[in-house]
Structures are given as structure tokens and as C-alpha cells.
């Protein structure tokens, strides 16, 4: 997991608050993927971004969730007005353009909504 | 709709023996298959992959077999070691070339492997 940095590792929010999760991809990687893992389940794809562009958001809930990957700085996954069902581990992965190499994952952010 | 299935939630194997983890998929368009290993409180770590043009890929103690007609793949670990105890995820993608550079993965629900010393 070396190289893909996610923070914070743990995040506790009360219902109705906002959660911001950050991901810095591996050096030289310009593609970022976000995944969510609910308890006892596999990882579910949420969104795929390149710098300043959302390429595929087919796995994102339609409301309250948004993602960005600005020209400078980390990718941000934002969850507004969190609910208990948002409690999960959120993983970020990165890849380099056009290599077909496996995705490299960070250690995740565990979000707990109380 | 679970397109990638791992029907065994857990598996226990004696140290030194062979561990066989299985995975089935339903989408015949999947072109590239991977196995990831995950320890608690860490992210998935890539283990081994196979493209649909092959039926076997080997890397040290790890071998992945692909049976396209049956839409089935398996991971063999031999000999199994205590450090192999982890959750193993099977994943599939449409292939980054045919999917315009989109390498998104569809994951199974995982198999928890326990190696008994």
C-alpha cells in the first residue's frame, strides 16, 4: 500500500454533519478511484477521476456524495449530511495513465457516524 | 446484482498444505482478473492477475487459473504459510484498453483464509 496516502485514518461524525476524506495518489499517478466497503461486504466502486475531471461516477449515490480531483492537491470525497448508513471504510486507489497495471490502494478512512 | 462471487466466506488450511480459493463471475465481458489480499485495518494489496487470453499465471507460491467457459477462476497458494492468513478478494475488470483507460474493478465479497500452524 506504499504511496497512496489517505487521511484521516478514522473519522467520527454525528448525523447531519459533513465528512471530507482525502486521498493523495502515488507519485506519477493521475487516475484516482474511490471505493466503499460496508461491513462484511466487498469493495464497491464509487467514482473514477482524472485531474479536474470526473470520468465515471456510476457508483456514487445520487445525493449527498461528491468527489473532486483538483489540478493541485489531493482528491476529496465529500459526504454531506451523513447518516448512520454511511458508516464504512472508504478506500482510494490510483493508477498511471495507460499502463493497465493493477490499482494500488491506500489504507482507507474508516468513517463512523454516531 | 453480484457480478463477482466468492461463495466461501471462510477457509481454514493446515500450514504447508495447499490453499484453494474460488471465484465465479457472470459478466462475460470481463477481460482481466486480479486477486487482492487484505489484512485488517489496511487497504487491499495486489497479489496476482491474469488476462482472459491466458488460462494460468504463476508467481512464486501463487498460481491463478482461469476457466473462461465456466466463468471461474481460482487462486492456489502452495505451500500455505501463517502469514497468508488474511481476507482474499477476487476482482474483475473490463480491461483498460477496451474500457477507454477505465480500470475500475468489480470485487467479490472476499474469503477469509486462516492458516493453522
Amino acid at each position: 500500500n506504499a504511496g497512496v496516502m489517505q487521511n484521516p485514518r478514522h473519522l467520527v461524525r454525528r448525523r447531519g454533519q459533513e465528512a471530507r476524506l482525502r486521498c493523495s495518489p502515488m507519485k506519477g499517478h493521475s487516475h484516482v478511484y474511490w471505493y466503499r466497503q460496508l461491513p462484511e461486504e466487498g469493495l464497491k466502486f464509487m467514482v473514477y477521476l482524472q485531474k479536474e475531471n470526473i470520468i465515471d461516477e456510476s457508483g456514487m449515490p445520487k445525493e449527498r456524495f461528491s468527489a473532486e480531483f483538483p489540478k493541485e492537491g489531493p482528491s476529496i470525497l465529500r459526504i454531506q449530511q451523513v447518516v448512520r448508513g454511511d458508516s464504512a471504510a472508504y478506500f482510494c486507489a490510483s493508477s498511471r495513465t495507460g499502463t493497465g497495471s493493477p490499482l494500488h490502494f491506500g489504507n482507507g478512512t474508516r468513517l463512523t457516524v454516531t | 446484482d453480484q457480478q463477482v462471487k466468492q461463495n466461501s466466506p471462510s477457509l481454514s488450511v493446515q500450514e504447508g498444505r495447499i490453499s484453494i480459493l474460488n471465484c465465479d463471475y457472470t459478466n462475460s465481458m470481463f477481460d482481466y482478473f486480479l486477486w487482492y489480499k487484505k489484512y485488517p485495518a489496511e487497504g487491499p494489496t495486489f497479489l496476482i492477475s491474469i488476462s482472459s487470453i491466458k488460462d494460468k499465471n504463476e508467481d512464486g507460491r501463487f498460481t491463478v487459473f482461469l476457466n473462461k467457459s465456466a466463468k471461474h477462476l481460482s487462486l492456489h497458494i502452495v505451500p500455505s504459510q501463517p502469514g497468508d492468513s488474511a481476507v482474499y478478494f477476487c476482482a474483475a475488470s473490463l480491461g483498460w484498453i477496451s474500457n477507454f483507460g477505465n480500470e475500475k474493478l468489480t470485487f467479490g465479497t472476499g474469503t477469509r483464509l486462516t492458516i493453522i500452524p
Side-chain angles (χ1 to χ4, degrees):
Chain A
N1 298 325
V4 179
M5 303 302 295
Q6 289 189 249
N7 65 82
R9 287 298 309 274
H10 301 276
L11 182 61
V12 179
R13 285 287 177 267
R14 291 202 175 112
R15 277 180 299 171
Q17 291 185 319
E18 178 179 288
R20 280 184 178 238
L21 290 65
R22 286 176 290 277
C23 169
S24 296
M26 284 182 70
K27 189 174 181 180
H29 286 192
S30 58
H31 296 203
V32 165
Y33 299 76
W34 285 94
Y35 286 80
R36 175 166 66 173
Q37 185 183 22
L38 295 170
E40 306 303 320
E41 292 188 14
L43 285 77
K44 302 283 188 192
F45 168 77
M46 299 181 76
V47 62
Y48 162 42
L49 310 103
Q50 296 177 18
K51 284 282 187 182
E52 299 185 279
N53 285 303
I54 297 174
I55 307 301
D56 180 352
E57 56 183 347
S58 58
M60 286 277 270
K62 298 296 179 207
E63 297 176 351
R64 302 188 296 108
F65 285 72
S66 62
E68 63 177 12
F69 189 14
K71 188 175 179 182
E72 301 291 338
S75 175
I76 306 286
L77 180 67
R78 183 179 174 208
I79 312 172
Q80 295 178 291
Q81 299 173 320
V82 295
V83 300
R84 288 233 171 95
D86 296 332
S87 295
Y90 292 81
F91 293 97
C92 168
S94 73
S95 72
R96 199 195 302 264
T97 305
T99 61
S101 57
L103 299 186
H104 296 267
F105 284 84
N107 282 332
T109 293
R110 183 162 299 278
L111 172 65
T112 302
V113 179
T114 63
Chain B
D1 175 33
Q2 189 68 28
Q3 296 188 65
V4 177
K5 300 176 187 177
Q6 294 178 257
N7 292 319
S8 298
S10 62
L11 176 68
S12 293
V13 174
Q14 207 78 34
E15 181 179 359
R17 306 292 286 267
I18 184 170
S19 295
I20 300 176
L21 296 95
N22 293 302
C23 177
D24 297 290
Y25 61 96
T26 57
N27 188 344
S28 57
M29 299 298 291
F30 284 141
D31 201 35
Y32 185 52
F33 303 89
L34 308 88
W35 285 93
Y36 280 82
K37 175 180 180 179
K38 187 181 181 303
Y39 293 118
E42 293 186 11
T45 302
F46 169 73
L47 261 182
I48 192 168
S49 64
I50 188 167
S51 85
S52 61
I53 60 172
K54 292 186 169 184
D55 55 18
K56 177 182 174 181
N57 189 26
E58 195 170 350
D59 184 2
R61 296 186 299 115
F62 302 92
T63 302
V64 55
F65 295 92
L66 175 62
N67 183 334
K68 281 188 70 179
S69 60
K71 295 193 183 71
H72 177 83
L73 64 154
S74 60
L75 174 68
H76 292 211
I77 306 172
V78 56
S80 300
Q81 299 174 354
D84 296 330
S85 294
V87 177
Y88 288 78
F89 289 99
C90 169
S93 80
L94 296 174
W96 67 278
I97 293 176
S98 58
N99 207 26
F100 308 101
N102 187 341
E103 296 166 290
K104 75 176 180 184
L105 300 174
T106 300
F107 281 86
T109 51
T111 296
R112 182 177 302 276
L113 175 65
T114 303
I115 305 302
I116 303 164

